[in-house]
């Protein structure tokens, strides 16, 4: 399943964030979205998911606009991990993760065996099975973030939009989360677009979209775009590169 944006323009008030962006997210592709705070990264994900309007342009999921899908049908095609939640969840971690199965539910009275199996796999994928019966409200920030990732994994959509999935995670679980995304793309043929701030992991992506926040953007392979001079222009600070290929990482320097 593919996700396409054609001549997409995004604006906040009178300020244009992204101008005339053409983007195609295809099965088996892993994209990183990089840019400063306020450059339009989250706005882009919201527009692609049909959660916010675009100033102009067209978005299509498997050839159809997001608005043409019924809500549950769209949930079987596309999943989004948002930066934050506006409401507190009252139940257990396991019950929270199972909310991801809502688009697949066949009835109103409980989950089927396939739903339960998907939820269990999602808990295991993020080391959450021992915490399954904990009240969601008692979890730490990092545990909640892993639960939110697990909920997306239980949903199991072919297209995934993830907004800063590594926030609040310790080093081990940052690596784990990235590896789960890579596995989903590489082994299951999904497609993922990931908003990132940590350039230590940027080299692990196939393709990169740079947003400058003033309408300008650049898209291409990680090998083409991830170089110190270009990133310095993107972030407005000196950047030094270490390593190469998938092991490449970048740090700001004075």
């Amino acid at each position: 399943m593919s996700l396409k944006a054609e001549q997409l323009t995004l604006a906040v008030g009178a300020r244009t964030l992204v101008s005339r962006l053409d983007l195609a997210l295809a099965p088996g592709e892993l994209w990183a979205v990089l840019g400063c705070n306020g450059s339009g990264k989250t706005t882009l994900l919201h527009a692609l998911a049909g959660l916010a309007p675009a100033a102009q342009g067209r978005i299509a999921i498997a050839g159809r606009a997001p608005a043409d899908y019924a809500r549950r049908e769209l949930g079987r095609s596309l999943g989004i991990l948002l930066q934050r939640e506006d409401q507190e969840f009252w139940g257990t971690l396991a019950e929270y993760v199972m909310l991801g199965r809502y688009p697949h539910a066949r009835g109103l009275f409980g989950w089927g065996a396939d739903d339960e199996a998907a939820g269990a796999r999602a808990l295991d994928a993020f080391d959450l099975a021992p915490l399954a019966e904990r009240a969601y409200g008692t979890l730490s920030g990092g545990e909640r973030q892993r639960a939110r990732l697990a909920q997306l994994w239980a949903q199991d959509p072919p297209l995934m939009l993830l907004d800063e999935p590594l926030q609040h995670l310790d080093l081990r679980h940052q690596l784990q989360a990235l590896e789960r995304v890579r596995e989903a793309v590489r082994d299951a043929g999904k497609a993922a677009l990931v908003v990132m701030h940590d350039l230590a992991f940027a080299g692990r992506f196939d393709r990169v979209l740079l947003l400058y926040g003033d309408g300008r953007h650049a898209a291409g392979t990680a090998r083409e775009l991830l170089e110190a001079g270009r990133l310095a222009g993107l972030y407005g600070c000196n950047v030094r590169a270490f390593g190469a290929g998938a092991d490449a990482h970048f740090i700001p320097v004075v």
Side-chain angles (χ1 to χ4, degrees), residues 81 126 128 140-150 162-181 196 198 201:
L81 178 77
F126 295 95
L128 291 171
S140 71
E143 289 166 342
R144 289 190 184 204
Q145 184 70 357
R146 285 155 55 202
R148 296 170 69 234
L149 285 161
L162 299 96
D163 198 351
E164 298 189 36
L166 306 187
Q167 65 178 347
H168 307 306
L169 297 182
D170 58 46
L171 290 176
R172 179 169 71 88
H173 288 109
Q174 286 180 9
L175 290 170
Q176 179 191 68
L178 277 179
E179 186 55 30
R180 293 295 177 265
V181 175
M196 295 284 294
D198 193 338
F201 299 112

Side-chain angles (χ1 to χ4, degrees), residues 210-230:
L210 308 181
L211 299 183
Y212 290 85
D214 57 3
R216 293 179 298 144
H217 51 81
T221 67
R223 186 177 297 275
E224 291 170 340
L225 296 186
L226 293 182
E227 55 92 15
R230 188 185 296 269

Side-chain angles (χ1 to χ4, degrees), residues 36-58:
C36 292
N37 295 335
S39 61
K41 302 183 299 299
T42 294
T43 302
L44 172 63
L45 261 62
H46 287 190
L48 293 176
L51 300 177
Q56 70 177 59
R58 178 175 180 268

Side-chain angles (χ1 to χ4, degrees), residues 107-158:
L108 299 176
F109 304 102
W111 305 110
D114 53 345
D115 298 312
E116 297 287 355
R121 288 194 298 270
L123 288 169
D124 287 338
F126 295 95
D127 296 338
L128 291 171
L131 307 179
E133 299 308 315
R134 284 261 305 272
Y136 183 79
T138 68
L139 301 176
S140 71
E143 289 166 342
R144 289 190 184 204
Q145 184 70 357
R146 285 155 55 202
R148 296 170 69 234
L149 285 161
Q151 185 185 95
L152 180 61
W153 255 242
Q155 183 182 343
D156 195 29

